[in-house]
mmCIF file of all heavy atoms in Angstrom:
data_model
loop_
_atom_site.group_PDB
_atom_site.id
_atom_site.type_symbol
_atom_site.label_atom_id
_atom_site.label_comp_id
_atom_site.label_asym_id
_atom_site.label_seq_id
_atom_site.Cartn_x
_atom_site.Cartn_y
_atom_site.Cartn_z
ATOM 1 N N ASN O 19 10.554 30.117 -0.610
ATOM 2 C CA ASN O 19 9.469 29.131 -0.663
ATOM 3 C C ASN O 19 9.804 27.998 -1.632
ATOM 4 O O ASN O 19 9.525 26.829 -1.361
ATOM 5 C CB ASN O 19 8.170 29.784 -1.120
ATOM 6 C CG ASN O 19 7.722 30.934 -0.228
ATOM 7 O OD1 ASN O 19 7.407 32.011 -0.714
ATOM 8 N ND2 ASN O 19 7.701 30.711 1.069
ATOM 9 N N ALA O 43 -4.658 25.963 0.665
ATOM 10 C CA ALA O 43 -5.325 26.200 1.952
ATOM 11 C C ALA O 43 -6.025 27.552 1.950
ATOM 12 O O ALA O 43 -5.706 28.446 2.737
ATOM 13 C CB ALA O 43 -4.307 26.106 3.090
ATOM 14 N N ARG O 56 -7.213 40.228 -3.140
ATOM 15 C CA ARG O 56 -5.904 39.650 -2.838
ATOM 16 C C ARG O 56 -6.001 38.125 -2.722
ATOM 17 O O ARG O 56 -5.137 37.401 -3.214
ATOM 18 C CB ARG O 56 -5.353 40.236 -1.538
ATOM 19 C CG ARG O 56 -3.994 39.675 -1.160
ATOM 20 C CD ARG O 56 -3.524 40.224 0.162
ATOM 21 N NE ARG O 56 -2.285 39.575 0.582
ATOM 22 C CZ ARG O 56 -1.736 39.714 1.775
ATOM 23 N NH1 ARG O 56 -2.306 40.488 2.680
ATOM 24 N NH2 ARG O 56 -0.608 39.091 2.078
ATOM 25 N N ARG O 59 -6.378 36.718 -6.310
ATOM 26 C CA ARG O 59 -5.131 36.813 -7.070
ATOM 27 C C ARG O 59 -4.088 35.830 -6.532
ATOM 28 O O ARG O 59 -3.409 35.143 -7.299
ATOM 29 C CB ARG O 59 -4.600 38.244 -6.980
ATOM 30 C CG ARG O 59 -3.292 38.495 -7.742
ATOM 31 C CD ARG O 59 -3.528 38.540 -9.218
ATOM 32 N NE ARG O 59 -2.313 38.847 -9.948
ATOM 33 C CZ ARG O 59 -2.192 38.798 -11.273
ATOM 34 N NH1 ARG O 59 -3.236 38.463 -11.998
ATOM 35 N NH2 ARG O 59 -1.060 39.083 -11.875
ATOM 36 N N ALA O 65 -1.234 28.631 -7.370
ATOM 37 C CA ALA O 65 -1.529 27.422 -8.144
ATOM 38 C C ALA O 65 -0.667 27.384 -9.410
ATOM 39 O O ALA O 65 -0.094 26.342 -9.751
ATOM 40 C CB ALA O 65 -3.007 27.371 -8.505
ATOM 41 N N ASP O 74 2.798 17.628 -11.122
ATOM 42 C CA ASP O 74 2.049 16.901 -12.149
ATOM 43 C C ASP O 74 0.666 16.539 -11.612
ATOM 44 O O ASP O 74 0.532 15.646 -10.785
ATOM 45 C CB ASP O 74 2.814 15.630 -12.524
ATOM 46 C CG ASP O 74 2.146 14.852 -13.658
ATOM 47 O OD1 ASP O 74 1.034 15.239 -14.069
ATOM 48 O OD2 ASP O 74 2.738 13.856 -14.113
ATOM 49 N N PHE O 80 -4.350 17.310 -6.627
ATOM 50 C CA PHE O 80 -4.113 18.744 -6.424
ATOM 51 C C PHE O 80 -5.464 19.446 -6.407
ATOM 52 O O PHE O 80 -6.195 19.424 -7.396
ATOM 53 C CB PHE O 80 -3.231 19.269 -7.564
ATOM 54 C CG PHE O 80 -2.828 20.713 -7.432
ATOM 55 C CD1 PHE O 80 -2.428 21.247 -6.228
ATOM 56 C CD2 PHE O 80 -2.836 21.538 -8.559
ATOM 57 C CE1 PHE O 80 -2.042 22.582 -6.124
ATOM 58 C CE2 PHE O 80 -2.450 22.867 -8.478
ATOM 59 C CZ PHE O 80 -2.049 23.389 -7.257
ATOM 60 N N ASP O 143 -7.994 18.872 7.606
ATOM 61 C CA ASP O 143 -7.297 18.761 6.321
ATOM 62 C C ASP O 143 -6.501 17.464 6.243
ATOM 63 O O ASP O 143 -6.506 16.777 5.209
ATOM 64 C CB ASP O 143 -6.312 19.933 6.144
ATOM 65 C CG ASP O 143 -6.992 21.274 6.030
ATOM 66 O OD1 ASP O 143 -8.093 21.324 5.457
ATOM 67 O OD2 ASP O 143 -6.419 22.265 6.511
ATOM 68 N N THR O 170 -7.019 10.683 17.950
ATOM 69 C CA THR O 170 -7.096 9.660 18.996
ATOM 70 C C THR O 170 -8.382 9.798 19.803
ATOM 71 O O THR O 170 -9.063 8.804 20.090
ATOM 72 C CB THR O 170 -5.881 9.774 19.938
ATOM 73 O OG1 THR O 170 -4.679 9.580 19.184
ATOM 74 C CG2 THR O 170 -5.940 8.733 21.048
ATOM 75 N N GLU O 268 36.783 31.113 -5.221
ATOM 76 C CA GLU O 268 36.963 32.307 -6.051
ATOM 77 C C GLU O 268 36.767 33.583 -5.232
ATOM 78 O O GLU O 268 37.466 34.581 -5.453
ATOM 79 C CB GLU O 268 35.988 32.275 -7.225
ATOM 80 C CG GLU O 268 36.355 31.277 -8.314
ATOM 81 C CD GLU O 268 35.487 31.442 -9.551
ATOM 82 O OE1 GLU O 268 35.808 32.299 -10.392
ATOM 83 O OE2 GLU O 268 34.475 30.720 -9.661
ATOM 84 N N LEU O 269 35.827 33.565 -4.291
ATOM 85 C CA LEU O 269 35.641 34.730 -3.423
ATOM 86 C C LEU O 269 36.876 34.945 -2.555
ATOM 87 O O LEU O 269 37.334 36.090 -2.365
ATOM 88 C CB LEU O 269 34.395 34.549 -2.557
ATOM 89 C CG LEU O 269 33.053 34.681 -3.285
ATOM 90 C CD1 LEU O 269 31.895 34.252 -2.372
ATOM 91 C CD2 LEU O 269 32.832 36.130 -3.752
ATOM 92 N N GLU O 289 17.723 27.560 -13.588
ATOM 93 C CA GLU O 289 16.763 26.575 -13.091
ATOM 94 C C GLU O 289 15.323 27.041 -13.234
ATOM 95 O O GLU O 289 14.456 26.282 -13.670
ATOM 96 C CB GLU O 289 17.064 26.254 -11.624
ATOM 97 C CG GLU O 289 16.135 25.193 -11.044
ATOM 98 C CD GLU O 289 16.611 24.651 -9.712
ATOM 99 O OE1 GLU O 289 17.830 24.633 -9.468
ATOM 100 O OE2 GLU O 289 15.757 24.225 -8.900
ATOM 101 N N GLU O 308 -8.221 26.486 -13.407
ATOM 102 C CA GLU O 308 -9.511 26.095 -12.830
ATOM 103 C C GLU O 308 -9.853 24.657 -13.204
ATOM 104 O O GLU O 308 -10.306 23.868 -12.352
ATOM 105 C CB GLU O 308 -10.609 27.034 -13.308
ATOM 106 C CG GLU O 308 -11.985 26.737 -12.746
ATOM 107 C CD GLU O 308 -12.094 27.004 -11.247
ATOM 108 O OE1 GLU O 308 -11.291 27.808 -10.719
ATOM 109 O OE2 GLU O 308 -12.964 26.390 -10.605
ATOM 110 N N LYS O 328 -18.917 7.238 6.512
ATOM 111 C CA LYS O 328 -18.668 6.391 7.685
ATOM 112 C C LYS O 328 -18.747 7.207 8.973
ATOM 113 O O LYS O 328 -19.300 6.753 9.986
ATOM 114 C CB LYS O 328 -17.289 5.735 7.569
ATOM 115 C CG LYS O 328 -17.140 4.791 6.399
ATOM 116 C CD LYS O 328 -15.708 4.281 6.285
ATOM 117 C CE LYS O 328 -15.542 3.390 5.067
ATOM 118 N NZ LYS O 328 -14.127 2.962 4.870
ATOM 119 N N LYS O 351 -33.834 -7.680 -7.712
ATOM 120 C CA LYS O 351 -32.707 -8.393 -8.303
ATOM 121 C C LYS O 351 -33.116 -9.158 -9.556
ATOM 122 O O LYS O 351 -32.294 -9.465 -10.407
ATOM 123 C CB LYS O 351 -32.103 -9.347 -7.285
ATOM 124 C CG LYS O 351 -31.313 -8.626 -6.186
ATOM 125 C CD LYS O 351 -30.655 -9.613 -5.240
ATOM 126 C CE LYS O 351 -29.820 -8.885 -4.204
ATOM 127 N NZ LYS O 351 -29.168 -9.818 -3.261
ATOM 128 N N LEU O 425 -22.863 4.934 -6.514
ATOM 129 C CA LEU O 425 -23.562 3.949 -7.341
ATOM 130 C C LEU O 425 -22.819 2.611 -7.333
ATOM 131 O O LEU O 425 -23.429 1.549 -7.185
ATOM 132 C CB LEU O 425 -23.683 4.475 -8.765
ATOM 133 C CG LEU O 425 -24.444 3.605 -9.769
ATOM 134 C CD1 LEU O 425 -25.895 3.428 -9.346
ATOM 135 C CD2 LEU O 425 -24.381 4.209 -11.163
#
Side-chain angles (χ1 to χ4, degrees):
N19 302 131
R56 180 183 174 190
R59 180 74 177 172
D74 184 354
F80 184 42
D143 294 326
T170 300
E268 286 189 84
L269 287 171
E289 182 167 331
E308 181 68 23
K328 297 175 183 176
K351 287 184 177 180
L425 183 62

